[in-house]
Amino acid sequence: HFRHQMTEKFKNLSGKQKLGYIFDYYKAPIIIVLSAALVLSYFLYDHFTKEKFDAEIIYAGSGYFTSEYESAVSSLASLGVDADNDGGEKLKFDQFSYTDIYGAEYKVTMTVTLINIVRSGKENILWLDSERLSAVLAECEDYLVPKDEWAPGAESQDSYSVDLSESAVLKEKGISADGVYMVVVRAKHPESAKNQNTLKIAGKIANEN
């Protein structure tokens, strides 16, 4: 009987009043559904619109690679395969510059960001100067792939990095890498095509012949 009275009352409300009644009565579920829809829309938009890459290299050091070098580094994608099957090999190259023009706070922020990237488990090749290499080895050793898994023949002073100063590929492309060391981040999904491609490219870069 009570439900029947409520139904009759609802029928007599205007359209605007009905919407207000529904929102007041179902406020929590509506907010949850709308929030979930917004989050889902964001991830779908991000998934279908952002550019995909088959491998990624991050340089973190006191030097800086010019746009000419950036283009040469991006061409290293040809050492691998089209891991995401989108019709071509693409490599993303980012730089974290620690040159003296930046203040101490900036450098600390960049170092924390770099360490968080390593710990995220995203497939990445890192090129580091000696100072950044020491920081990463000290803070993130468990998040790196041992060198013997991707460049077993390369000389190294530790178990994770390779000195790039003698890289045959980089010399051929005119990329100066004196004082630069390469490590590979341990991926959350080691069997993925992108991770296998990352290891393949890193191994070829490390080759001195």
Side-chain angles (χ1 to χ4, degrees):
H1 180 69
F2 175 74
R3 178 174 292 182
H4 175 73
Q5 285 183 323
M6 293 300 294
T7 302
E8 289 298 317
K9 181 180 178 181
F10 183 77
K11 285 181 179 179
N12 293 328
L13 296 175
S14 67
K16 187 175 181 179
Q17 288 174 325
K18 285 180 180 179
L19 289 175
Y21 176 83
I22 292 172
F23 183 77
D24 287 339
Y25 195 77
Y26 297 102
K27 183 182 296 184
I30 288 173
I31 291 174
I32 291 171
V33 170
L34 288 176
S35 299
L38 285 172
V39 171
L40 179 61
S41 298
Y42 169 80
F43 280 108
L44 288 174
Y45 176 82
D46 187 58
H47 176 75
F48 288 109
T49 60
K50 76 175 183 180
E51 189 173 3
K52 303 293 192 304
F53 295 93
D54 302 296
E56 298 181 33
I57 293 177
I58 297 175
Y59 168 74
S62 56
Y64 184 78
F65 285 84
T66 64
S67 58
E68 181 182 352
Y69 277 0
E70 284 188 349
S71 178
V73 173
S74 297
S75 73
L76 296 173
S78 62
L79 299 176
V81 299
D82 180 12
D84 56 10
N85 297 311
D86 66 350
E89 301 90 5
K90 288 182 291 185
L91 184 146
K92 182 181 181 184
F93 181 54
D94 286 327
Q95 298 194 65
F96 287 9
S97 180
Y98 291 78
T99 56
D100 292 335
I101 62 173
Y102 300 109
E105 290 183 0
Y106 171 85
K107 292 182 179 180
V108 169
T109 300
M110 294 296 280
T111 300
V112 171
T113 303
L114 177 65
I115 289 172
N116 285 335
I117 288 173
V118 176
R119 290 177 173 173
S120 73
K122 185 178 181 182
E123 310 89 347
N124 274 312
I125 296 169
L126 303 183
W127 290 3
L128 311 169
D129 64 8
S130 58
E131 187 175 344
R132 255 50 63 177
L133 175 63
S134 296
V136 168
L137 290 177
E139 298 288 337
C140 309
E141 184 176 307
D142 292 341
Y143 296 88
L144 302 176
V145 182
K147 175 195 67 77
D148 287 345
E149 293 185 24
W150 50 274
E155 295 292 332
S156 176
Q157 294 182 353
D158 58 69
S159 301
Y160 300 95
S161 70
V162 170
D163 185 344
L164 293 182
S165 60
E166 297 300 321
S167 167
V169 170
L170 299 188
K171 287 182 177 180
E172 178 185 338
K173 291 184 174 291
I175 302 172
S176 176
D178 290 341
V180 179
Y181 303 84
M182 179 167 61
V183 298
V184 178
V185 176
R186 185 183 295 280
K188 284 184 178 178
H189 306 290
E191 300 305 319
S192 70
K194 184 174 181 181
N195 185 58
Q196 294 302 310
N197 192 46
T198 296
L199 297 175
K200 180 179 181 180
I201 290 174
K204 289 187 176 182
I205 294 173
N207 194 339
E208 297 180 2
N209 300 313

